[in-house]
Amino acid sequence: MKNKFVWLTLVLLVSSTLSNAQEANRRITTALPFLQVAADARAGGLGDQGVATSTDAFSQQWNSSKYAFAKKEIGVALNVTPFLTRLVNDIVLANLVGYKRLNERSAVSASFRYFSLGEIEFRENATSEANVQKPNELSLDVAYSLKLSDRFSMAVAGRYLRSDLRLQTSNLSGDSNAGNAFGVDITGFYQSEEIPYRNFDGRWRGGFAITNIGPKIKYSQDQESFIPTNLRLGGGFDFGIDQYNKISVTAEISKLLVPTPPNFDTDGSGQIEDGEVQTFDEFVKSKSAIGSIFSSFNDAPDGFSEELQEITYSLSAEYNYNDVFALRAGYFNENENKGARKFFTLGAGFKYTSIGIDMSYLFSTSNTPSPLDGTLRFGLTFLFGEDYREF
């Protein structure tokens, strides 16, 4: 992105949207929002879900405990997701993942996600030298997964987070710095044996993940923000029609374990009514990160009905032919008052020997524009090494 006007227009548009949602609908906002975006094409074709889907090389973002069930010893995968493709061409989310089975019961994995907001040029005048800024955010994590039984595994992951959104110009300096933080994931995955039914063989799947458990990220003395601590729960079922054809259906719900903003002084009177605080920054500073995880289940000003609005859900279906070809579809829904993300997704996957290619496409169905609307995503996977048997 090499145009200051375009950048400032986008910033104002996003800021206005978030501000309106914050004040009118108490939308929950966090730092590092790219952590909530599906960073791989397979999950992108399944309605942004992955906590209970079958194991793949990109499982690190969703549920790293699934690696204990991986059928291949080693996997490496890369995915690049473009953003706002109808406006610019250099905002991207890159995702590099790898895992290794250590033995029949355990595995290690790691991933690197990098979100680039492109290049931004600032000039004092038309003839002055350009001051090029490259704001970005990233995460780097490692995980260890272990089977606690033949059918259930758990994993722990540690994650380093960095958010560098500073724009250093002569007229926009301030005291902000790049923010650094860390997070921890605790995940679990269950996969049943194949169960013979009358006309097919079936298999149940279930998973949970609490991701990004950690302290707030600090940008300056007066500005800090919660990282997107998130709870995901999911379940699914595989219909094995015959030895070549399989249909999998999965459902997933998720909730941010971050405080709901209270009633602010939105009328500009300067008087704080009961239950109100003066600013959002004051509200964030008054809350502890760990304590907020537990209080996030009952802190919505409008009570239980508003807490239910903070739960997103997604549904998906995947057809797989002999592990060489797959078709996918999904739907994601978020309440109108909490962000209004609503979209359908389509996807496909192809595998030849040890190489896999995945792609997906998103159709927004919400009045709120999606930065991924109309985006085609691609992922590349390499699987090699020893084959691991099913228990």
Side-chain angles (χ1 to χ4, degrees):
M1 188 191 306
K2 298 184 177 180
N3 185 293
K4 179 180 177 181
F5 176 75
V6 173
W7 166 256
L8 292 178
T9 300
L10 290 174
V11 170
L12 291 173
L13 175 62
V14 173
S15 298
S16 175
T17 301
L18 293 181
S19 176
N20 290 338
Q22 184 81 40
E23 294 177 357
N25 300 319
R26 291 190 291 269
R27 174 181 177 179
I28 299 176
T29 58
T30 69
L32 302 151
F34 80 95
L35 295 175
Q36 296 295 100
V37 177
D40 66 279
R42 186 194 179 209
L46 295 173
D48 278 23
Q49 64 175 219
V51 74
T53 54
S54 59
T55 307
D56 60 37
F58 287 105
S59 296
Q60 183 84 349
Q61 176 182 358
W62 309 100
N63 188 342
S64 53
S65 62
K66 296 196 295 183
Y67 287 125
F69 289 90
K71 296 180 180 180
K72 275 291 187 179
E73 178 186 4
I74 299 172
V76 179
L78 173 67
N79 194 98
V80 177
T81 301
F83 278 70
L84 295 170
T85 54
R86 296 178 180 178
L87 295 177
V88 294
N89 60 7
D90 60 352
I91 301 181
V92 296
L93 172 61
N95 185 27
L96 177 63
V97 190
Y99 77 87
K100 185 182 187 306
R101 289 287 298 267
L102 300 177
N103 48 51
E104 291 281 357
R105 308 197 70 86
S106 62
V108 292
S109 54
S111 75
F112 175 69
R113 275 176 280 172
Y114 182 80
F115 183 50
S116 170
L117 278 77
E119 293 186 352
I120 308 164
E121 288 187 0
F122 291 90
R123 297 177 186 268
E124 293 295 328
N125 53 60
T127 61
S128 64
E129 183 178 354
N131 177 11
V132 179
Q133 303 289 316
K134 298 179 180 180
N136 62 83
E137 297 181 317
L138 62 86
S139 71
L140 176 65
D141 48 49
V142 294
Y144 174 76
S145 55
L146 176 68
K147 282 185 177 179
L148 303 183
S149 71
D150 289 348
R151 292 299 165 189
F152 179 71
S153 64
M154 291 192 68
V156 176
R159 178 172 296 109
Y160 166 71
L161 304 168
R162 180 175 174 83
S163 176
D164 187 359
L165 303 179
R166 296 171 297 173
L167 298 178
Q168 301 296 338
T169 68
S170 58
N171 60 353
L172 182 61
S173 56
D175 63 348
S176 63
N177 299 302
N180 297 278
F182 68 88
V184 174
D185 297 355
I186 300 174
T187 63
F189 181 68
Y190 169 79
Q191 180 174 275
S192 74
E193 297 179 354
E194 285 195 347
I195 305 170
Y197 292 90
R198 182 173 181 179
N199 296 317
F200 62 91
D201 291 335
R203 168 174 284 164
W204 292 97
R205 292 172 280 103
F208 74 88
I210 307 175
T211 57
N212 302 311
I213 305 169
K216 291 177 283 187
I217 189 169
K218 191 171 184 178
Y219 295 98
S220 68
Q221 189 66 29
D222 299 319
Q223 185 180 13
E224 56 187 27
S225 184
F226 291 97
I227 62 175
T229 306
N230 194 72
L231 169 66
R232 294 182 183 274
L233 301 172
F237 188 80
D238 298 335
F239 296 85
I241 301 172
D242 53 40
Q243 67 179 105
Y244 298 109
N245 298 278
K246 181 177 69 174
I247 296 176
S248 302
V249 293
T250 309
E252 180 176 308
I253 61 173
S254 67
K255 185 185 188 303
L256 280 169
L257 304 184
V258 176
T260 304
N263 297 311
F264 291 98
D265 179 25
T266 57
D267 59 6
S269 66
Q271 301 296 319
I272 303 175
E273 305 296 336
D274 292 340
E276 289 185 341
V277 296
Q278 187 67 42
T279 68
F280 182 72
D281 287 336
E282 288 179 356
F283 164 71
V284 173
K285 292 181 71 174
S286 70
K287 297 289 186 177
S288 71
I290 302 301
S292 296
I293 292 176
F294 299 97
S295 63
S296 64
F297 291 98
N298 62 354
D299 64 352
D302 288 344
F304 183 67
S305 62
E306 185 175 354
E307 292 290 349
L308 291 178
Q309 293 179 4
E310 296 176 0
I311 298 175
T312 68
Y313 70 84
S314 59
L315 306 170
S316 73
E318 180 180 50
Y319 165 75
N320 190 292
Y321 176 77
N322 199 31
D323 286 334
V324 297
F325 173 70
L327 290 174
R328 306 174 182 119
Y331 175 72
F332 181 93
N333 183 86
E334 183 177 55
N335 188 274
E336 294 282 351
N337 297 328
K338 297 296 179 176
R341 290 177 296 164
K342 301 174 187 290
F343 52 81
F344 285 101
T345 62
L346 295 175
F350 309 89
K351 182 180 177 183
Y352 178 74
T353 62
S354 63
I355 302 175
I357 299 175
D358 294 293
M359 61 184 68
S360 66
Y361 191 83
L362 184 149
F363 303 86
S364 178
T365 60
S366 172
N367 293 327
T368 301
S370 170
L372 291 172
D373 187 26
T375 298
L376 187 62
R377 289 180 267 188
F378 289 92
L380 186 63
T381 301
F382 299 92
L383 300 174
F384 46 94
E386 180 183 349
D387 291 325
Y388 277 83
R389 62 183 176 86
E390 291 276 352
F391 280 99

